[in-house]
Amino acid sequence: MSESRRTVLEVVHVDEQTRFTLVQLSEACRADTALLVDLVDEGVLEPIGEGPDSWVFGGDALGRALTALRIGRDLGLDATAMALVLDLLDEIRVLKARLRHAGVR
């Protein structure tokens, strides 16, 4: 008999005023805090505060962290490689916006 898997979706409303501690961001991403610290060290996430115990992340950090973690999981990448891929994706977004602004498809 096969075991059925059930996926539960959680919806989190995040806006510009939303703030996360490291632990809260870890829970929201379902990721280990050590990996999030590595993402901070690589510049993927930019908290305010002196160290992990006092870090505060803006609401945009959730989406960025989830994207980095998905890329890392899907491609088997470490934090350094995740940072590189995110930088390249950001650059592609900027270049596409410039092309749209110039009227080029």
Side-chain angles (χ1 to χ4, degrees):
M1 190 178 252
S2 70
E3 182 179 320
S4 80
R5 292 179 54 181
R6 188 174 181 189
T7 302
V8 177
L9 271 179
E10 276 185 54
V11 176
V12 178
H13 176 73
V14 178
D15 61 24
E16 294 171 3
Q17 285 74 38
T18 301
R19 299 290 178 251
F20 296 98
T21 65
L22 178 60
V23 171
Q24 290 169 331
L25 185 61
S26 171
E27 290 170 355
C29 293
R30 295 188 176 140
D32 187 65
T33 57
L35 180 52
L36 295 178
V37 169
D38 289 345
L39 292 176
V40 170
D41 291 343
E42 293 297 332
V44 171
L45 303 173
E46 298 178 359
I48 298 168
E50 295 299 315
D53 292 335
S54 65
W55 282 344
V56 176
F57 297 87
D60 62 329
L62 178 60
R64 190 145 175 89
L66 289 170
T67 299
L69 294 167
R70 185 180 69 246
I71 288 168
R73 181 190 66 242
D74 291 352
L75 302 177
L77 304 177
D78 65 7
T80 302
M82 285 184 243
L84 176 61
V85 171
L86 284 176
D87 285 345
L88 292 172
L89 289 173
D90 289 344
E91 185 64 25
I92 289 168
R93 248 182 254 114
V94 167
L95 292 172
K96 284 183 175 182
R98 286 182 185 168
L99 287 172
R100 277 192 305 275
H101 183 70
V104 179
R105 286 188 113 181

